[in-house]
Amino acid sequence: MHQHAEYGDQYIDGAWRPSRDDAGSITVLNPATERVLATVPAGGAADVDAAVAAARRAAGSWAATTREDRLTLLARLRDGIAAAQEEITATVVAELGAPVGFAAAVHAGLPLAVATSYLALLAEHPFEERIGNSVVLAEPAGVVAAITPWNYPLHQIVAKVVPALAAGCPAVLKPAEDTPLVARLFARLVHEAGFPAGVFNLVTGTGAVAGAALAAHPGVDVVSFTGSTTVGRQVAETAGRGLKRVALELGGKSANVVLPGADLARAVNVNVANVFANSGQTCSAWTRLLVHQDQYEEAVATAAKAAAKYVPGDPSDPQTRIGPLVNAKQLTRVRGYIEGALAEGARLVVGGAEPVPGLPTGFYVHPTVLADVAPDMAVAQEEVFGPVLVVLPYRDEDHAAELANGTEYGLAGGVWAADTDTAAAFARRLDTGQVDLNGGRFNPLAPFGGYKSSGLGRELGRHGLEEFLQYKSLQY
Ligand code: NAD
């Protein structure tokens, strides 16, 4: 029989302690093999109470630490993340199904880059500023609840917990049900770095029970949530009642706009790579490719050719570029969007909703490109969270801007033009938090977050640190 680990503990108040709740356990599956990897406790109100109480006890002394004290501990945590790169990669391949090359570069590499970035930011941050006859102090905003999704599981943990700790705030983390193992690995690294008890706490559990209890807890001052817009609204309502500060990183339906004069082939190839990375489970993915109507068929043909290079396969094989989706529910959801679009008259360019031949086990879906999609179809408006690209034609620049801004979301986007100035001028018209011009690289120091229903607040860099600070003005 296949062996799996059965964990019964939570990381609370500086130690691994048996869960205080008897709500059962969460089963963690490998989405490629569908085999059970582990079970973790389904924590509830008792675990959340214990974790928040530990964080509150630690809050005063953690807030009183010097910048240098925090830098020493965070540098050790960063070194721990660096030393654990292979273990992080293997864990994310197993519980998320991310292809091993992508997992090493992004799921392990990006958290290391973000943790490193906060060492420099903490070293230089002005926690005191003179404004006229005031000295303005930036003080920790209190106990932080970090609620994270499964799609970039360690990145999202690090992007919340590291700046919270750097700001002087203790944190309680409730990770996603599908990916608790990398969260447990992170807790181990925090422990090994030697942070004082209670400064970081981990409670695994379901969103409806542990997540809701944490978001509503009167001992929490700041809720930092990444996940779906539906749950984000609930979290914001709950936080509003308690007058807690809230930061929300939510869904997206980002547009990649290729203006006439741009390198169309490159823009389309980069778009296909962008939308199929992580099996399309990326909040900032460019899921809508907007091209001028005169270039439409050329763009569709280029996308078809690029998409053919993405053949679903075993994520532990270094040759694999696209693995499975995270779970059976996502598979049903993604297939439903493809079927719905075809029923509404979209043209299937590549892919489709059928099972992937040769892969009877695992939550695999065909990477899919759809053409002749009307802008008001569900597949062009809603977040699919799978490897599905829709190609839309525009008449002129005004129409392109109207289409790009024509969803409830505004998280990311791309603009391609003959030159950067033209691309930048168009990007100013987009209601979205990030725009990459002519394939501009991801910058872990730039603020990341959404306009409209894509969220509130910003993560990463200095802006991400400021989410966990509050200001006191002294006049003299
Ligand atoms: P989700 O909203 O279902 O879950 C996210 C987290 O919230 C999980 O830890 C879950 O357990 C918890 N949760 C669920 N219900 C809760 C409740 N009632 N109260 C408190 N917590 C609750 O989202 P998901 O399916 O895990 O993640 C996919 C979504 O996340 C997508 O919509 C994606 O776009 C979004 N996302 C956004 C970003 C971003 O930075 N903007 C990044 C990654 C993912």
Side-chain angles (χ1 to χ4, degrees), residues 4-10 19 21-28 36 38-44 47 177 180 204-206:
H4 67 259
E6 292 180 12
Y7 300 109
D9 49 3
Q10 308 276 23
S19 171
D21 292 284
D22 53 6
S25 58
I26 292 171
T27 301
V28 188
V36 177
T39 59
V40 299
D47 284 339
E177 291 88 324
T204 57
T206 65

Side-chain angles (χ1 to χ4, degrees), residues 77-168:
L77 175 59
R78 189 275 312 266
D79 293 348
I81 295 172
Q85 289 286 288
E86 279 180 25
E87 195 182 350
I88 294 165
T89 302
T91 305
V92 179
V93 171
E95 68 181 348
L96 179 64
V100 61
F102 186 78
V106 178
H107 290 295
L110 182 56
L112 177 59
V114 171
T116 304
S117 76
Y118 275 111
L119 297 180
L121 285 160
L122 175 56
E124 72 200 19
H125 193 75
F127 287 98
E128 268 189 52
E129 187 190 0
R130 179 164 276 285
I131 299 179
N133 69 316
S134 304
V135 168
V136 178
L137 308 179
E139 298 190 334
V143 170
V144 171
I147 303 177
T148 55
W150 45 264
N151 60 333
Y152 287 85
L154 185 60
H155 167 64
Q156 285 141 347
I157 290 170
V158 165
K160 296 183 188 316
V161 173
V162 167
L165 300 185

